[in-house]
Amino acid sequence: MADEVGPPKDRKILVAVDESEESMHALSWCLKNVLFCGNYKDILILLYAIPPRAVYPTFDNTGHVFSSDFLAMMLKYNKDAADFVMQEAKRTCKEQAREVKVETRIEHGDPRDVICEMAEKLHVDMVVMGSHGYGLIKRTFLGSVSNHCVQNVKCPVLVVKRPRPDDFRSK
C-alpha cells in the first residue's frame, strides 16, 4: 500500500535577523537548506527586535540624561536600522527563493525575549538564527541570544554558525 501524498502542509519558519553578517548568513543558509524540504508550503517570518534603549541615571535620579530631541533621533535611527535590515533580508529572499511567502515583524524588546515570545505567539514550526560566535568571556558578560532561545523556545531552534575564513572543509 503506497503512502498517499496530500496537499502541502503550511510550515512557519521564523528567522531572526539583525545587522550582523551572521544573521544574514543564517537566512541564506535557511533559504538554501531548509525551505521546500518535503511536502511543505513554507512561510518565512523575518523577525527584527529593536533592543530597549539604555537609561542612564543622573545625579538627581530622574533617569533622563538626554533631551527629548536626542531620544526621538535615537528612536528614528533604530526604526531606520530595522527597516534597512528588513529590506536587505527581503531582497535576499527574493534572490534565493522567489516562491517563498515572506512576512516581516519588527518588535521592541530584548532580542532573547522577543524571539521566544514571537515563536510561541505565531506558533512557528522552527526558529533559525545566526550565532555571533562569541568566546566564553564575551558570552558570559553579553549573554548568548541563541543559547537562551535554544533553552526556552518550545519548537526546534536551528543555530547556524558562519564558517571561519580558515575553515577549509569541502563543500
Side-chain angles (χ1 to χ4, degrees), residues 23-33 92 96:
S23 80
M24 289 302 147
H25 173 74
L27 173 59
S28 291
W29 194 93
C30 176
L31 292 168
K32 292 174 188 168
N33 297 289
T92 299
Q96 295 183 19

Side-chain angles (χ1 to χ4, degrees), residues 16 18 22 26 110-113 115-116 127-134 139 142-153 155-161:
D18 61 18
E22 290 84 3
D110 185 310
R112 289 176 276 240
D113 299 329
I115 294 167
C116 294
V127 172
V128 177
M129 58 194 318
S131 171
H132 289 283
Y134 293 146
R139 229 181 14 252
L142 299 176
S144 169
V145 174
S146 57
N147 186 54
H148 179 84
C149 292
V150 166
Q151 298 298 320
N152 293 287
V153 172
C155 67
V157 177
L158 176 63
V159 179
V160 180
K161 291 177 72 172

Side-chain angles (χ1 to χ4, degrees), residues 56-58 62-67:
Y56 301 99
T58 61
T62 62
H64 299 284
V65 172
F66 304 113
S67 70

